[in-house]
Amino acid sequence: MATFCSFLKIGPHCPNLGATELSKFSVVTGYLCKSKMGGSLQKIDVGRKLLPGEIVQNATPPPPWNLDLRCFSASRVSVEQTEQSFTKTSQVDELKKLSTYLFSTEFGGQVKIFVGKKSVKYVVDIEVSSLQLSSDDSQLVLSGGLYRSDRDIKNMIIETPFIARSSSELALELEFEAKEVPCYFSFLLKAPSSASSSGSEIRSHRKSSFCVPIGFDQGYPVPLGLSFSIDGSMNFAVYSRNAESLVLCLYDDNASEKPALELDLDHVVNRTGDIWHASIEGAWTFVSYGYRCKGNRDTFHAEHVLLDPYAKIIGSSIPNHHESGLLLKHLGRLMKEPAFDWSGDVLPNIPLEKLVVYRLNVMQFTENKSSKLPAAAAGTFSGVTEKVQHLKDLGINAVLLEPIFTFDEQKGPYFPCHFFSPTNLYGPSGSVSAINSMKGMIKNLHANGIEVFMEVVFTHTAERGALQGLDDLSYYHKSSIEDSKSKNALNCNHPVVQQMILDSLRHWVTEFHIDGFFFINASCLLRGFHGEHLSRPPLVEAIAFDPVLSMAKIIADCWDPYDMMPKEICFPHWKKWAEMNTKFCTDIRNFLRGKGALSNLATRLCGSGDIFSDGRGPAFSFNFIAKNFGLPLVDLVSFSNDELASEISWNCGEEGPTSKTAVLERRLKQIRNFIFILYISQGVPVLNMGDECGQSSGGSLSYGSRKHLDWNAMTTGFGIQTTKFISFLSSLRKRRSDLLQKRSFLKEENIEWHGSNQSPPVWEDLSCKFLAMTLKADKAEEQLSSEASELKGDLFIAINGGDKAETIILPPTPEGMAWHRLVDTALPYPGFFSVDGKLVREQIMGLAAYEMKSRSCTLFEACNDGS
């Protein structure tokens, strides 16, 4: 129990503690007291020995016995004077939800307490046995009172004597009105002064008062969070190992600054191991809840009301939350998750190698007025649903959502406060609508063959309002607690934090049908308790082998939201984890600005064997050119000042906006080159929201500089040609999946490399800026494929990163086939790509030659002459 509960001294000289504000609960003015004589009140599980303080639920009914009842007046309370007789059998039958508590006293003997409900009143039966008293045992007196928490103390003292059944057994029954509960009944036994050398007060074996809950139950330690029993009662369970006590705060109005009721949970009755728990009947009208934790002032702040880390529904904002002690704008809602009709939903289960991913921010995707959506849908999950046709037009079959957890609104979605519920910002109105809106979006995307991935941040939290104050020594790394510039790094491999993360992932898979997760700042998942690097981190391994997550795609993204930089690390994978390929981004950017080696380019084109040849394959490489941090795609070719050195960008001859035709043409070619290489490389292409229409941040690296998507930009000349180009490349990948969507690496005999002037490539010569390759169709594999409706020819891909033109000689084709140009990024729109292709005529000794302009890419396909 907290300070007041377990160690409260109740006696005849106890001072009047006063009554603090009790919200809607009034002070007790009287109670019904009944003393007992006769047989035993109840037999408790005779075949098993109970430990002191142990709790028994639904104990077996006692045998019938006769009982005389008489009320005794206590000196400081008014009581009802009654006298009646009835059998114990009828009495027990009337009691509902009988709970039994067993204590030992500090001088030996036992105290059994039975708590139940009879009609609209609550009954507490107390039996004292085997207590050695030196004088008349009828003088044993109960001295106690009701209370809820140290902020909510009942201004009353109850004193009443026990009646002896035998020389060693005493009994007493109390009744309390329903309006006074839920609360605790805490008491001491007062014996004659000669009963012990230490005085007249008898406490429990823990040297504290006897304490039991009335009107609520001790609850259960599992599952964590809020859960509902069949009878409608609500169970609360939360982990806090180092808290000395914990207060359950219940609100009956979302707009209220102060709880309507606070219950100080007992450290004996309401704690199992390191889990605090309690159960309350569902008939109460409370609407939301939170917790206050008490303990060492360095890590616990009892005045702060904390959000349950397992809350599934988060309520509305609390006004003046800083003044009222709330660090959060939200509390857990006391309601079941809303029902949703998932009938007909089928998970697409798209193989890794066939994915084409589009990353978006839910709010920024449609909130701009240019989206032409109703105000209720703009910037919400429903808005994404309304724009599904745009995704299909691009050839997208997987949407990657930026973090949608409740987050620090000042720092952005990569600083979460919570892990089990979508933020209310993305719903039409409130938490329930956000949940149903998200589920509706996912069901709609699935129906259109599009998977839904989530970016998740489990390595750190927001600096305020997350798990701070609940148990920092368990949830956070010790260095984070001691460091004044703490990054609030979660102790991910702590067993409790690990369990929370797994529970969160399972929740999103089972309740929201999420298809996969991108783990931001994944390198920090490899940290041990003391920050040391773990070669076999328990959390990463547990996620890989969790049966509930077995069908979900899991991708490690080692970008750090604090440093705004990706980290290169050897990530343990167990042939399950894929990765965001930072080296792909770096090497392609370097080559197209004229500073990369051919060997690096070739490695990225073929699926990054230096990273994924360890039992995985190119399908585990998620490739990207631009992300939602750093420079957008159009800015990569427009800005390259000293402050942007880490971005490996090139402004194509002039910094920032320009009207020079030569610079603009060069930038347009570079954008096409980036997109082309992204889509023809082995691995999974990841496109960023806004890159299809030239969305710019003005050269700023700040995440806050990202603008809402301007849908009018889709109708500009650049937007039209770029979206059509992306759609073409998506269709090409699908049509030539035999060469462009490989789960395993291409065989050596299926690739032929070409350098400048028809010579072999000089791999490590940084002055060489031209590389071509022939991807040879596997004829044996094609004959076995059921999808092969016609003969597929080879592909010839050439990339010229230099400032001069290159003449390429295309390899000879099989008889009856000829080369067709599908892409030349140097040509004007609409001729720079073609679905049918343009025939390349043979020019030199039966061979076809083609002149490539500087800084351009080309793609040729061998087709039937009649194609």
Side-chain angles (χ1 to χ4, degrees):
M1 200 78 230
T3 305
F4 177 67
C5 169
S6 296
F7 303 100
L8 174 66
K9 181 177 180 180
I10 302 178
H13 303 294
C14 180
N16 188 333
L17 296 175
T20 59
E21 181 180 352
L22 300 180
S23 187
K24 295 184 178 180
F25 294 87
S26 61
V27 176
V28 172
T29 57
Y31 65 94
L32 179 65
C33 168
K34 304 174 183 177
S35 298
K36 306 182 179 192
M37 301 179 66
S40 172
L41 277 172
Q42 185 159 350
K43 301 294 184 182
I44 305 179
D45 205 0
V46 177
R48 182 170 63 89
K49 182 177 181 181
L50 296 178
L51 298 176
E54 186 173 355
I55 301 163
V56 178
Q57 287 281 13
N58 301 322
T60 56
W65 62 299
N66 294 324
L67 177 65
D68 292 327
L69 301 173
R70 185 177 301 273
C71 177
F72 292 82
S73 177
S75 59
R76 299 179 65 174
V77 294
S78 62
V79 291
E80 179 184 352
Q81 299 288 337
T82 63
E83 183 173 345
Q84 58 179 320
S85 298
F86 59 87
T87 64
K88 180 63 180 175
T89 301
S90 63
Q91 177 185 347
V92 172
D93 287 342
E94 292 179 4
L95 296 182
K96 299 178 181 179
K97 292 187 177 180
L98 184 66
S99 297
T100 306
Y101 305 86
L102 177 63
F103 297 87
S104 293
T105 74
E106 57 185 326
F107 305 121
Q110 291 185 338
V111 176
K112 298 176 186 177
I113 307 172
F114 307 88
V115 181
K117 186 175 183 181
K118 182 170 63 176
S119 185
V120 295
K121 295 184 177 182
Y122 289 83
V123 179
V124 178
D125 289 313
I126 305 170
E127 283 186 347
V128 179
S129 61
S130 303
L131 183 63
Q132 300 298 320
L133 301 175
S134 60
S135 62
D136 185 4
D137 53 14
S138 64
Q139 296 180 33
L140 186 68
V141 174
L142 177 145
S143 179
L146 300 180
Y147 83 100
R148 294 183 177 125
S149 73
D150 54 6
R151 294 188 179 187
D152 186 8
I153 301 172
K154 296 290 187 180
N155 185 19
M156 61 166 287
I157 294 295
I158 301 172
E159 290 192 358
T160 187
F162 284 84
I163 296 298
R165 283 203 312 262
S166 67
S167 60
S168 60
E169 292 182 337
L170 306 170
L172 178 66
E173 180 180 286
L174 305 174
E175 285 188 356
F176 300 94
E177 298 292 338
K179 65 181 180 179
E180 307 303 337
V181 299
C183 63
Y184 283 97
F185 179 47
S186 181
F187 66 91
L188 300 174
L189 303 179
K190 293 175 61 178
S193 59
S194 59
S196 67
S197 59
S198 62
S200 63
E201 294 178 347
I202 301 175
R203 296 176 175 81
S204 74
H205 66 289
R206 297 177 181 270
K207 308 297 183 183
S208 62
S209 55
F210 305 93
C211 184
V212 294
I214 303 176
F216 72 106
D217 207 350
Q218 73 271 13
Y220 306 95
V222 290
L224 288 171
L226 172 67
S227 57
F228 292 84
S229 301
I230 298 176
D231 61 4
S233 62
M234 299 174 291
N235 189 78
F236 302 84
V238 64
Y239 171 89
S240 184
R241 181 176 190 177
N242 294 290
E244 295 176 1
S245 64
L246 188 139
V247 180
L248 173 61
C249 303
L250 299 169
Y251 294 77
D252 58 5
D253 184 353
N254 284 328
S256 175
E257 296 182 30
K258 296 183 179 180
L261 174 66
E262 293 190 354
L263 288 174
D264 199 337
L265 302 188
D266 183 78
H267 69 289
V268 177
V269 176
N270 299 109
R271 181 170 181 172
T272 303
D274 298 325
I275 308 295
W276 299 80
H277 46 82
S279 177
I280 296 180
E281 294 180 4
W284 298 103
T285 58
F286 304 117
V287 296
S288 55
Y289 73 103
Y291 297 102
R292 291 194 295 113
C293 292
K294 305 175 186 177
N296 188 315
R297 290 292 301 176
D298 293 335
T299 54
F300 292 98
H301 304 281
E303 66 275 12
H304 295 159
V305 179
L306 308 175
L307 175 65
D308 178 4
Y310 273 77
K312 303 302 189 301
I313 303 177
I314 298 179
S316 301
S317 299
I318 302 296
N320 302 321
H321 59 283
H322 290 295
E323 297 179 9
S324 63
L326 283 170
L327 283 177
L328 291 181
K329 291 184 178 180
H330 305 281
L331 294 169
R333 289 290 302 274
L334 290 172
M335 61 185 301
K336 295 181 180 179
E337 294 180 74
F340 184 81
D341 182 12
W342 284 108
S343 61
D345 182 60
V346 178
L347 302 182
N349 284 327
I350 301 170
L352 276 175
E353 65 273 13
K354 297 186 181 299
L355 289 173
V356 180
V357 181
Y358 183 93
R359 179 195 285 105
L360 61 86
N361 176 285
V362 172
M363 180 177 290
Q364 295 178 354
F365 189 55
T366 61
E367 192 171 51
N368 192 288
K369 292 182 179 180
S370 62
S371 67
K372 298 180 180 179
L373 295 180
T380 69
F381 296 114
S382 299
V384 177
T385 302
E386 294 295 327
K387 294 297 184 180
V388 67
Q389 190 58 49
H390 174 68
L391 301 173
K392 295 176 69 175
D393 290 343
L394 291 174
I396 301 300
N397 59 17
V399 166
L400 172 58
L401 305 177
E402 288 186 13
I404 53 88
F405 299 156
T406 300
F407 57 87
D408 183 337
E409 295 178 27
Q410 293 183 341
K411 302 199 69 172
Y414 291 93
F415 298 87
C417 299
H418 192 62
F419 304 107
F420 286 87
S421 181
T423 174
N424 299 345
L425 297 174
Y426 298 162
S429 59
S431 54
V432 174
S433 63
I435 290 172
N436 281 334
S437 178
M438 182 177 180
K439 291 180 178 179
M441 176 199 71
I442 294 170
K443 185 176 181 180
N444 182 276
L445 291 173
H446 284 175
N448 285 278
I450 299 175
E451 293 193 337
V452 181
F453 301 151
M454 287 171 50
E455 286 188 334
V456 291
V457 183
F458 290 121
T459 57
H460 61 271
T461 67
E463 294 180 2
R464 299 183 65 189
L467 299 170
Q468 293 91 348
L470 194 60
D471 190 347
D472 292 3
L473 293 174
S474 296
Y475 285 107
Y476 292 97
H477 280 288
K478 185 177 180 181
S479 57
S480 295
I481 300 172
E482 296 173 347
D483 186 1
S484 60
K485 298 180 179 179
S486 168
K487 294 183 178 180
N488 297 286
L490 283 176
N491 195 357
C492 300
N493 288 295
H494 185 285
V496 171
V497 182
Q498 175 182 324
Q499 187 63 47
M500 181 186 69
I501 294 173
L502 287 171
D503 288 341
S504 172
L505 296 173
R506 293 166 186 153
H507 175 71
W508 291 104
V509 168
T510 57
E511 295 297 325
F512 288 83
H513 294 200
I514 290 295
D515 301 284
F517 303 93
F518 282 60
F519 292 78
I520 300 300
N521 200 18
S523 58
C524 287
L525 298 177
L526 313 184
R527 295 175 61 185
F529 286 12
H530 306 290
E532 73 278 14
H533 177 81
L534 302 176
S535 60
R536 190 169 182 171
L539 174 60
V540 174
E541 184 173 8
I543 293 172
F545 291 103
D546 189 272
V548 178
L549 306 177
S550 60
M551 297 301 293
K553 299 172 176 69
I554 50 176
I555 300 94
D557 187 344
C558 292
W559 170 62
D560 185 348
Y562 282 99
D563 297 334
M564 299 296 290
M565 288 293 292
K567 298 177 180 178
E568 295 183 6
I569 193 168
C570 182
F571 198 85
H573 56 80
W574 289 276
K575 299 183 180 180
K576 174 70 175 179
W577 283 83
E579 296 180 47
M580 285 291 282
N581 192 346
T582 301
K583 286 187 175 180
F584 179 92
C585 172
T586 301
D587 289 342
I588 301 305
R589 288 186 185 187
N590 257 326
F591 187 82
L592 288 185
R593 70 172 185 163
K595 295 187 178 181
L598 296 182
S599 58
N600 292 337
L601 174 63
T603 300
R604 304 307 153 218
L605 291 173
C606 293
S608 299
D610 58 334
I611 304 174
F612 301 101
S613 61
D614 53 355
R616 290 180 287 180
F620 288 81
S621 173
F622 280 67
N623 303 327
F624 67 97
I625 297 297
K627 292 187 68 174
N628 49 349
F629 65 92
L631 295 177
L633 179 57
V634 70
D635 288 358
L636 279 177
V637 299
S638 305
F639 299 90
S640 55
N641 55 61
D642 293 340
E643 295 179 357
L644 302 175
S646 62
E647 291 295 295
I648 319 177
S649 58
W650 178 49
N651 61 18
C652 297
E654 185 167 327
E655 188 72 5
T658 183
S659 58
K660 294 182 179 179
T661 302
V663 174
L664 292 174
E665 289 180 349
R666 197 176 298 126
R667 289 178 179 178
L668 182 59
K669 280 196 300 182
Q670 287 290 78
I671 290 174
R672 294 172 178 176
N673 293 340
F674 276 126
I675 295 174
F676 174 78
I677 295 174
L678 177 66
Y679 273 77
I680 59 92
S681 297
Q682 299 295 317
V684 178
V686 180
L687 191 68
N688 207 50
M689 179 189 78
D691 285 345
E692 72 270 34
C693 62
Q695 193 92 347
S696 171
S697 67
S700 172
L701 300 180
S702 170
Y703 179 85
S705 298
R706 289 301 176 107
K707 301 176 182 177
H708 292 72
L709 185 60
D710 182 3
W711 288 87
N712 292 329
M714 304 291 180
T715 61
T716 63
F718 176 86
I720 291 172
Q721 63 176 282
T722 305
T723 53
K724 289 186 175 181
F725 185 42
I726 292 171
S727 178
F728 161 78
L729 292 173
S730 296
S731 299
L732 175 67
R733 280 179 61 87
K734 185 175 181 180
R735 181 173 65 82
R736 294 311 309 267
S737 60
D738 59 314
L739 293 175
L740 300 179
Q741 292 182 335
K742 302 287 289 183
R743 189 169 187 86
S744 56
F745 289 101
L746 288 164
K747 300 175 184 177
E748 187 175 348
E749 58 267 25
N750 292 126
I751 308 177
E752 185 176 347
W753 297 101
H754 315 277
S756 183
N757 300 320
Q758 291 75 54
S759 59
V762 182
W763 296 112
E764 302 303 329
D765 187 348
L766 295 181
S767 65
C768 294
K769 304 301 177 187
F770 176 85
L771 181 66
M773 66 176 179
T774 303
L775 299 181
K776 300 179 180 179
D778 193 324
K779 301 302 186 292
E781 181 178 322
E782 184 177 322
Q783 293 174 359
L784 294 174
S785 174
S786 59
E787 299 178 358
S789 58
E790 61 181 24
L791 185 64
K792 295 181 179 179
D794 299 342
L795 296 179
F796 184 90
I797 300 168
I799 301 172
N800 182 11
D803 291 324
K804 62 179 182 178
E806 288 279 350
T807 299
I808 56 176
I809 304 298
L810 297 170
T813 58
E815 185 177 351
M817 304 189 79
W819 288 108
H820 289 68
R821 188 195 73 228
L822 301 184
V823 176
D824 184 346
T825 59
L827 298 177
Y829 176 77
F832 79 92
F833 69 93
S834 172
V835 175
D836 298 326
K838 182 176 179 61
L839 178 65
V840 181
R841 301 290 180 181
E842 295 181 357
Q843 300 170 359
I844 304 174
M845 300 177 60
L847 299 176
Y850 189 86
E851 182 176 347
M852 286 185 66
K853 294 184 179 180
S854 63
R855 301 188 183 277
S856 65
C857 299
T858 57
L859 169 65
F860 302 87
E861 182 179 20
C863 305
N864 294 329
D865 277 342
S867 297

